[in-house]
Amino acid sequence: MKWPGWLKRRNEAPPEPAPTDAPRSPVLTTDPRDAGGLTTLCPTYVIHPTSFEDLRHWRQMVAARHPDALLLASLDSLSQAGYTASHALLTHDLDATNGHDLSTLPERCFEDDEHIGYFSTQEEFPIRLANFRSGLEKAQLRDAKLPWLDADHDVTIDEVNFDPDAVVHGPGIVQAVPVERSADMISAFPNGYFSDDLSPFEMHHLTSKLEDLGYQLTALGASYLAFWGDTYLTAPQIAERSTIIAGLYEEADIDLLNDALKGKRHLILRYTA
């Protein structure tokens, strides 16, 4: 299976290639350009992974610096993911300040004694998270199914799980998100902006369901979600999870998915139509 050098959606430009002298240590950044144009609200590090295993290694390096946080890496096209995340924030009003106590926010959040209208500091992340959780109460994981085949890149869900390196394209980012459940990390990098995609809230419900089955969210991109399992799965566990996953997609092939999950701890899912 031959994949394109980078993944794109809706005619967006590809991310800039990683420099040949890319540093071999995560670099802390506050520049929105490093996050696909998105102003992040959590400690954010630029990384340069070349494979899925390499992505996990970069995450572990950041984890050592933030033992009290969970780590969310970017996946596939960072430029597209940052773009759609910015729109998802607006669409779902996740940076609204109404009803929140703003008295503890730093001065740079205000202009003429009024909030500037967008979030730009780590102190505002708890407000974002509260808004996100409020949205969860109104959303459920819908019955509408996504296509098993990614027509843009001619690849199916089982194939991408056989070849997870195909959805890793540097440079990327890792955010240290101060939450206790991996599903809540979606609030730091919400995606699912287009109407046919899973919304950020639907993604959370799916991620929570998988988390209860031993899969932790590790990366989120413009089209794909990546999870890491607590242990290698037995045959009955693989069958159980394959049935749940296949329920998300039209014309899913459970036998191929079973084969794709054997002997692996990762799980890659597409959340876009």
Side-chain angles (χ1 to χ4, degrees):
M1 176 179 62
K2 185 177 180 180
W3 279 60
W6 51 272
L7 295 177
K8 65 176 182 178
R9 295 187 66 230
R10 323 297 164 129
N11 298 317
E12 289 297 315
E16 292 295 327
T20 56
D21 59 347
R24 298 309 300 171
S25 179
V27 177
L28 185 65
T29 180
T30 57
D31 191 336
R33 291 174 296 181
D34 292 332
L38 181 70
T39 298
T40 58
L41 306 184
C42 304
T44 301
Y45 295 80
V46 179
I47 62 172
H48 297 274
T50 58
S51 66
F52 188 74
E53 186 59 33
D54 197 23
L55 177 69
R56 293 188 60 248
H57 175 67
W58 285 92
R59 284 184 70 257
Q60 288 168 354
M61 285 193 286
V62 175
R65 304 182 189 186
H66 297 274
D68 296 328
L70 298 184
L71 286 302
L72 180 66
S74 62
L75 201 64
D76 55 69
S77 173
L78 175 59
S79 61
Q80 179 66 40
Y83 170 80
T84 48
S86 296
H87 282 280
L89 289 172
L90 293 173
T91 298
H92 301 291
D93 209 16
L94 294 180
D95 286 356
T97 58
N98 296 339
H100 293 287
D101 179 10
L102 309 182
S103 62
T104 60
L105 298 183
E107 292 183 6
R108 63 183 181 277
C109 296
F110 302 90
E111 186 173 296
D112 297 330
D113 295 327
E114 295 289 336
H115 190 271
I116 58 177
Y118 58 90
F119 288 178
S120 59
T121 68
Q122 295 180 26
E123 290 86 351
E124 290 163 303
F125 178 73
I127 301 176
R128 161 86 63 78
L129 181 59
N131 289 338
F132 186 81
R133 286 173 172 165
S134 293
L136 286 174
E137 300 173 0
K138 308 170 187 176
Q140 295 180 340
L141 189 58
R142 58 182 165 174
D143 294 329
K145 295 185 178 182
L146 301 167
W148 180 249
L149 172 70
D150 180 350
D152 289 340
H153 306 101
D154 193 27
V155 63
T156 56
I157 297 300
D158 60 293
E159 289 175 328
V160 77
N161 278 280
F162 272 119
D163 184 19
D165 294 351
V167 293
V168 177
H169 303 282
I173 60 171
V174 173
Q175 295 186 69
V177 189
V179 293
E180 295 182 357
R181 284 183 62 89
S182 70
D184 284 341
M185 292 193 296
I186 295 171
S187 63
F189 201 51
N191 254 273
Y193 160 63
F194 296 104
S195 59
D196 292 335
D197 302 342
L198 293 184
S199 73
F201 308 118
E202 290 173 319
M203 245 186 279
H204 185 283
H205 287 304
L206 171 62
T207 300
S208 293
K209 193 172 188 178
L210 292 173
E211 193 168 6
D212 290 339
L213 293 173
Y215 280 115
Q216 305 296 317
L217 178 66
T218 61
L220 191 164
S223 300
Y224 288 88
L225 297 165
F227 301 84
W228 189 253
D230 294 338
T231 62
Y232 291 101
L233 301 178
T234 64
Q237 289 173 327
I238 289 174
E240 176 190 21
R241 285 148 181 78
S242 292
T243 300
I244 293 172
I245 295 164
L248 295 170
Y249 301 96
E250 296 176 349
E251 302 179 356
D253 192 316
I254 293 183
D255 290 335
L256 289 177
L257 187 56
N258 284 338
D259 290 340
L261 297 184
K262 287 179 182 177
K264 300 179 181 66
R265 290 176 62 180
H266 68 258
L267 172 63
I268 312 293
L269 298 179
R270 194 183 70 257
Y271 66 83
T272 58

